[in-house]
Amino acid sequence: MSTPSDSEKGILHPKEQARHRTLNRLAPGPDAARFVEWYWIVEWDLDEPYTAEVLPFPSVNVTFEQPGGAFVNGVYTRKFERRLTGRGRVFGAKFWAGGFGAITGLDVGSFSDQVLPLTAVFPDGDRLADLVFTEESDVRRRAVFEAFLRDHLAPPDPSYELVREIVTAMAADRSLARVDEVTERFDVPIRTLQRLFRRYVGVGPKWVLRRYRLHDGAELLARGEVTELAALSAALGYFDQAHFSKEFKQQIGLTPAEYAARAAASESFQMKS
């Protein structure tokens, strides 16, 4: 199951962010859809700087930034912050977890937590960037990008289909809270699972499980749908509320209660504006 294209999962302080930038998404074409989940387009025109925060998915993103250039963004294990100033635009391709490794044949774990110039991965990336920046519509940018991908496909890789199936289950099924439950369901030895995840996803299976549960928790808190943190912690598979709160603050920088309070304040501001 994919994340809905209008989902705010992974976006921290979504209502606050929405006041400072626009976000649109574009579905991939049929040939690229096995590897690319969606394209995203962010634009801003600000009088005062704003720092946008994201809790990234276990996905590689390729971005074309104006101003800036073209980049391959490995899986970020920390909160990602982007300071938005003046006027700017980003056209990004979000790959399925494992998709970039499958389509390129690269070991995605080798560039986790890194942002690389596009040319570091594709020697002819400058040509692609020039073509993307020249186009005047996002539909045409998508077409240019997908034509480039077709010319750079690695041989078909059945291991990717298994990885994608496992990651999809991790994202959708909150009852999957431990790695041993994953290995049992999919009948995959733990060392094989870890090796596949490092090669294709870029991070370990335990990290992916925890990240998706944090996404779930942050989304519910931002919507004001949490009445008891202890019940939320249990529903997300944490041992207790203290463990959830500790990990939430480590990754997001606020306790769950602080995050919910900031979301409520943003909602109040939006209603008054």
Side-chain angles (χ1 to χ4, degrees):
M1 183 181 75
S2 66
T3 303
S5 61
D6 60 349
S7 171
E8 294 178 333
K9 280 189 178 180
I11 301 172
L12 299 180
H13 319 295
K15 292 183 174 63
E16 182 182 297
Q17 273 202 49
R19 298 200 303 270
H20 295 87
R21 54 91 183 121
T22 62
L23 169 64
N24 293 294
R25 293 188 177 128
L26 186 66
D31 293 336
R34 285 184 56 231
F35 307 101
V36 177
E37 186 171 3
W38 64 56
Y39 298 93
W40 51 272
I41 303 95
V42 169
E43 296 182 85
W44 63 93
D45 189 354
L46 301 173
D47 294 326
E48 299 291 335
Y50 174 75
T51 300
E53 300 179 1
V54 175
L55 195 64
F57 285 84
S59 302
V60 172
N61 286 262
V62 174
T63 56
F64 300 88
E65 307 181 15
Q66 296 173 294
F71 305 94
V72 174
N73 301 258
V75 175
Y76 257 63
T77 59
R78 308 179 298 275
K79 178 175 68 174
F80 181 83
E81 298 180 334
R82 172 68 183 267
R83 185 172 172 83
L84 308 180
T85 60
R87 186 176 182 179
R89 190 178 201 279
V90 179
F91 176 85
K94 177 181 180 290
F95 284 77
W96 289 106
F100 191 80
I103 205 170
T104 63
L106 296 175
D107 179 348
V108 176
S110 67
F111 54 93
S112 294
D113 288 314
Q114 297 182 57
V115 177
L116 304 175
L118 187 62
T119 51
V121 177
F122 299 111
D124 52 349
D126 281 340
R127 179 177 64 85
L128 171 62
D130 289 342
L131 291 171
V132 168
F133 288 134
T134 298
E135 294 296 341
E136 296 184 357
S137 76
D138 292 319
V139 171
R140 284 296 307 153
R141 294 183 184 99
R142 176 184 64 184
V144 166
F145 184 74
E146 294 187 355
F148 182 85
L149 289 184
R150 284 194 294 272
D151 291 339
H152 292 76
L153 286 177
D157 189 346
S159 294
Y160 166 55
E161 301 303 334
L162 173 61
V163 168
R164 181 173 166 183
E165 182 183 3
I166 293 172
V167 173
T168 298
M170 288 177 165
D173 187 351
R174 290 182 185 170
S175 71
L176 281 177
R178 302 194 314 271
V179 174
D180 64 317
E181 294 171 339
V182 176
T183 59
E184 181 177 352
R185 177 179 297 189
F186 291 93
D187 194 25
V188 178
I190 179 63
R191 292 191 180 277
T192 300
L193 185 68
Q194 290 172 335
R195 176 179 55 79
L196 287 172
F197 268 61
R198 173 180 165 78
R199 156 69 175 82
Y200 290 92
V201 184
V203 288
K206 181 178 180 180
W207 184 94
V208 174
L209 282 171
R210 297 266 63 83
R211 177 51 52 94
Y212 280 135
R213 298 296 79 84
L214 283 177
H215 278 169
D216 291 338
E219 183 180 47
L220 292 170
L221 289 164
R223 291 179 175 177
E225 297 180 6
V226 177
T227 56
E228 294 185 4
L229 284 177
L232 174 64
S233 304
L236 296 177
Y238 285 86
F239 179 72
D240 56 25
Q241 180 180 332
H243 282 80
F244 170 61
S245 296
K246 180 180 179 181
E247 184 169 356
F248 193 95
K249 185 169 185 178
Q250 284 176 339
Q251 293 293 320
I252 295 175
L254 299 171
T255 66
E258 291 169 339
Y259 187 82
R262 181 166 166 178
S266 182
E267 177 73 24
S268 177
F269 177 88
Q270 195 169 36
M271 292 177 65
K272 291 177 182 177
S273 298

